[in-house]
Amino acid sequence: MNGTVSCRGLVYIYRLEGYDVVALGGVDLDIAPGESVALLGPSGSGKSTLLSLLAGLIRPAAGRAGVGDTDLAKASEAELAKMRATEVGVVLQGAERNLLPYLTAEQNVRFAQRAARSHGAVDLPAPRDVLALVGLLGVRGRLRQRPSELAPGERQRLALAVALAHKPGILLADEPTSQLDSRARDEVIAALEGVRRSGTTVVVVTHDPAVAAGMTRQVTIRDGRVGGEGSQGEEFAVVGRDGAVHLPPDVLALLPPGTRVRVHPRPDGTVLLAAATAAARPEYDHPDDHPRHAQPTHYAREVA
Ligand code: ADP
Ligand code: MG
């Protein structure tokens, strides 16, 4: 279905001379039409790789990824090209990379519509309507200016317009506010919200908490997997397909890697994680030990 993303156990490996880098090690992620999702996480965690996969620019090594009606693992090159020209709009990191420097703003949008037309797209929006969607129409004279003549925030919004020129179901943007001042950033956030309201699914890689807060959902990538989720101000850990859970940083400070924990489901639906360090406390090492003998460290909220 248009505007949907569905990933199951998605794996991507960069093959370098002599060794491999597993950039994504089993991503499970579903995104519904009309959602806006911030992809957060430390540098090198796999955010850009995930975005490139969803954009059909690279192919998964294993697992499943569906974008709209396209199965990325099975699609032919021609089907992938069609998906890129119709279903997804991509904004690469760095606005200039998405724009042709010698064309005006309006011409850039018009040019981007050509590829979609060659794949049979009809009913494309007027370039001015696309520019209006990102708030560039009201700015006098902007339509006839070249990218270098625009302010940085306007240039970034023009990159959004170019990605939206063919009316994709999904907009994918990598760090669209890096190097912008707070006012320009807020304009980009407002443009992204307008895009979502127009019915386009929005997926944005960002380091900026303000951008993340402007999305309906926040997904944190850690070590090439979905490490946690937030929505409406609440934080959730996510149980992976193998049953593993990435603990949030504040819990990880209490239960550092290598800690042996007992996991006790409780009658009230919460789950108790209790550290049991065998070497230091042999008396806690027996499976029949009652949890109250161990040190309670954290009540994990059950995610229904
Ligand atoms: P993020 O966008 O979260 O910073 P990336 O998706 O760029 O993370 O990178 C994930 C991992 O893949 C990192 O370990 C990174 O070093 C590696 N990586 C990214 N791009 C390449 C590449 N072109 N060749 C080799 N390794 C890469
Ligand atoms: Mg990146």
Side-chain angles (χ1 to χ4, degrees):
M1 186 183 164
N2 252 16
T4 61
V5 169
S6 169
C7 302
R8 287 287 172 280
L10 189 60
V11 174
Y12 188 81
I13 301 169
Y14 290 100
R15 300 203 181 279
L16 308 179
E17 269 178 61
Y19 65 101
D20 295 344
V21 176
V22 180
L24 298 178
V27 169
D28 296 322
L29 180 64
D30 289 293
I31 301 174
E35 280 192 305
S36 58
V37 177
L39 294 180
L40 305 161
S43 187
S45 57
K47 306 179 297 292
S48 293
T49 302
L50 179 56
L51 212 72
S52 300
L53 274 165
L54 298 181
L57 300 172
I58 53 177
R59 297 258 200 175
R64 279 205 41 234
V67 173
D69 294 325
T70 307
D71 180 332
L72 296 185
K74 292 190 186 146
S76 66
E77 281 305 320
E79 285 165 342
L80 271 192
K82 177 164 189 189
M83 182 198 85
R84 288 194 297 265
T86 57
E87 174 63 12
V88 295
V90 184
V91 183
L92 302 172
Q93 197 171 350
E96 318 71 40
R97 290 172 66 199
N98 302 278
L99 302 170
L100 290 167
Y102 47 86
L103 295 184
T104 67
E106 190 171 8
Q107 287 168 341
N108 261 284
V109 175
R110 211 176 279 288
F111 184 82
Q113 294 183 324
R114 279 203 201 167
R117 284 219 181 77
S118 73
H119 281 91
V122 287
D123 277 348
L124 292 179
R128 281 166 179 259
D129 291 343
V130 185
L131 290 159
L133 184 62
V134 298
L136 277 180
L137 200 59
V139 195
R140 266 190 72 206
R142 288 298 181 258
L143 296 191
R144 285 183 297 282
Q145 291 196 305
R146 295 194 168 80
S148 61
E149 297 165 321
L150 298 173
E154 293 169 349
R155 196 152 52 232
Q156 188 62 62
R157 283 182 286 140
L158 177 58
L160 293 181
V162 164
L164 293 164
H166 56 288
K167 219 169 180 308
I170 305 173
L171 176 70
L172 304 167
D174 200 348
E175 301 276 5
T177 62
S178 59
Q179 296 165 357
L180 295 187
D181 63 30
S182 62
R183 195 173 134 202
R185 176 196 67 191
D186 290 347
E187 286 166 356
V188 169
I189 295 171
L192 290 170
E193 174 56 14
V195 171
R196 186 191 71 79
R197 268 199 254 110
S198 78
T200 305
T201 305
V202 175
V203 181
V204 178
V205 170
T206 187
H207 279 108
D208 188 327
V211 177
M215 303 290 121
T216 59
R217 199 173 146 202
Q218 296 78 33
V219 172
T220 301
I221 307 294
R222 281 198 205 102
D223 291 334
R225 301 173 48 171
V226 172
E229 278 226 30
S231 70
Q232 286 154 8
E234 264 203 291
E235 289 293 322
F236 301 99
V238 178
V239 181
R241 53 180 17 230
D242 55 358
V245 179
H246 277 276
L247 299 176
D250 52 334
V251 178
L252 206 52
L254 298 168
L255 303 173
T259 309
R260 301 197 310 142
V261 289
R262 292 207 183 78
V263 183
H264 295 286
R266 295 160 62 91
D268 65 358
T270 60
V271 176
L272 174 68
L273 299 185
T277 308
R281 298 180 184 167
E283 70 272 26
Y284 297 148
D285 205 11
H286 193 273
D288 291 339
D289 270 357
H290 192 275
R292 69 189 150 82
H293 294 308
Q295 207 156 21
T297 47
H298 182 65
Y299 288 88
R301 199 172 190 290
E302 190 174 86
V303 183

